[in-house]
Amino acid sequence: MAAKEKLEAVLNVALRVPSIMLLDVLYRWDVSSFFQQIQRSSLNNNPLFQYKYLALNMHYVGYILSVVLLTLPRQHLVQLYLYFLTALLLYAGHQISRDYVRSELESGYEGPMYLEPLSMNRFMTALIGQLVVCTLCSCVMKTKQIWLFSAHMLPLLARLCLVPLETIVIINKFAMIFTGLEVLYFLASNLLVPYNLAKSAYRELVQ
């Protein structure tokens, strides 16, 4: 029991380290001085200067988010990290699909894959990577509905069905849009989550 409590204590501290590091980075970065240097230099036409007020607002929002993350209860913090990990995995899945589609376009081969060893090798490598991504997403989100995380496999399925390469490019873009819509739906269905997290953080801070 003592070992479990120690492990929970270590986990409780380790999960809050990124928010402390982010606070340190925000504290060290003086946004006003940064844009003043741009204005004084010969880079007056630098496009970064147009985003001065946006950067200032994001700077303060970063402070608020860091403090909220720092004071969240451990179970909420773990859930937040799992969501972030799932988003990274989905991004990795689309990167695999994009690289695969680009390599197929460069090869220019549209025939059956089993007749071309290099094409078959590319397909199997991408397929294994995609299956790993889908499985990890399903495990992280604790759901058996693995199809929710498999939109980025559509280009592979299209290639298996001998769809023309130009059409596969369109299918890949559709898969990215579909995943984006899934993320937006998830965010829209959890609009009150930031408020609940802030409320939990406030309770934790009071305790």
Side-chain angles (χ1 to χ4, degrees):
M1 191 68 180
K4 182 180 178 181
E5 292 178 354
K6 289 181 180 179
L7 181 61
E8 289 180 350
V10 171
L11 183 64
N12 194 34
V13 173
L15 290 174
R16 302 180 195 280
V17 170
S19 59
I20 296 175
M21 294 176 64
L22 181 58
L23 277 173
D24 183 61
V25 170
L26 292 172
Y27 177 75
R28 293 173 182 272
W29 184 41
D30 191 344
V31 182
S32 299
S33 298
F34 173 73
F35 283 99
Q36 284 175 5
Q37 289 177 3
I38 293 179
Q39 191 174 17
R40 286 195 301 266
S41 67
S42 59
L43 300 176
N44 288 329
N45 295 326
N46 194 313
L48 287 176
F49 192 74
Q50 301 174 5
Y51 302 101
K52 175 183 178 180
Y53 297 105
L54 177 62
L56 284 170
N57 292 329
M58 294 302 295
H59 191 253
Y60 296 129
V61 170
Y63 271 117
I64 296 172
L65 289 176
S66 299
V67 172
V68 169
L69 290 176
L70 190 60
T71 54
L72 272 179
R74 187 180 67 251
Q75 62 270 22
H76 291 293
L77 198 57
V78 170
Q79 193 66 36
L80 199 61
Y81 277 118
L82 291 179
Y83 288 149
F84 182 69
L85 178 60
T86 303
L88 288 179
L89 287 171
L90 290 175
Y91 175 77
H94 283 289
Q95 284 294 110
I96 293 173
S97 291
R98 191 179 69 174
D99 293 341
Y100 172 74
V101 171
R102 185 174 64 244
S103 62
E104 287 297 298
L105 287 173
E106 290 174 353
S107 69
Y109 178 72
E110 296 187 354
M113 290 176 295
Y114 60 87
L115 297 179
E116 177 62 39
L118 291 177
S119 180
M120 191 66 181
N121 184 46
R122 288 192 298 269
F123 178 82
M124 292 304 299
T125 302
L127 179 62
I128 292 172
Q130 298 286 27
L131 290 176
V132 170
V133 168
C134 292
T135 304
L136 288 176
C137 286
S138 178
C139 293
V140 169
M141 297 302 292
K142 296 179 182 179
T143 178
K144 294 182 179 179
Q145 296 176 326
I146 195 170
W147 59 269
L148 290 171
F149 315 102
S150 57
H152 43 75
M153 295 186 67
L154 287 176
L156 298 179
L157 181 62
R159 182 67 184 90
L160 191 63
C161 297
L162 300 180
V163 174
L165 296 179
E166 293 78 8
T167 308
I168 292 179
V169 175
I170 299 174
I171 293 174
N172 186 46
K173 292 180 179 179
F174 169 77
M176 295 177 66
I177 294 172
F178 183 79
T179 301
L181 291 175
E182 280 186 316
V183 173
L184 289 177
Y185 174 77
F186 176 81
L187 294 176
S189 60
N190 292 275
L191 284 176
L192 294 178
V193 168
Y195 169 75
N196 294 330
L197 291 179
K199 190 165 65 173
S200 299
Y202 174 73
R203 288 203 208 99
E204 189 79 5
L205 188 61
V206 170
Q207 292 176 6

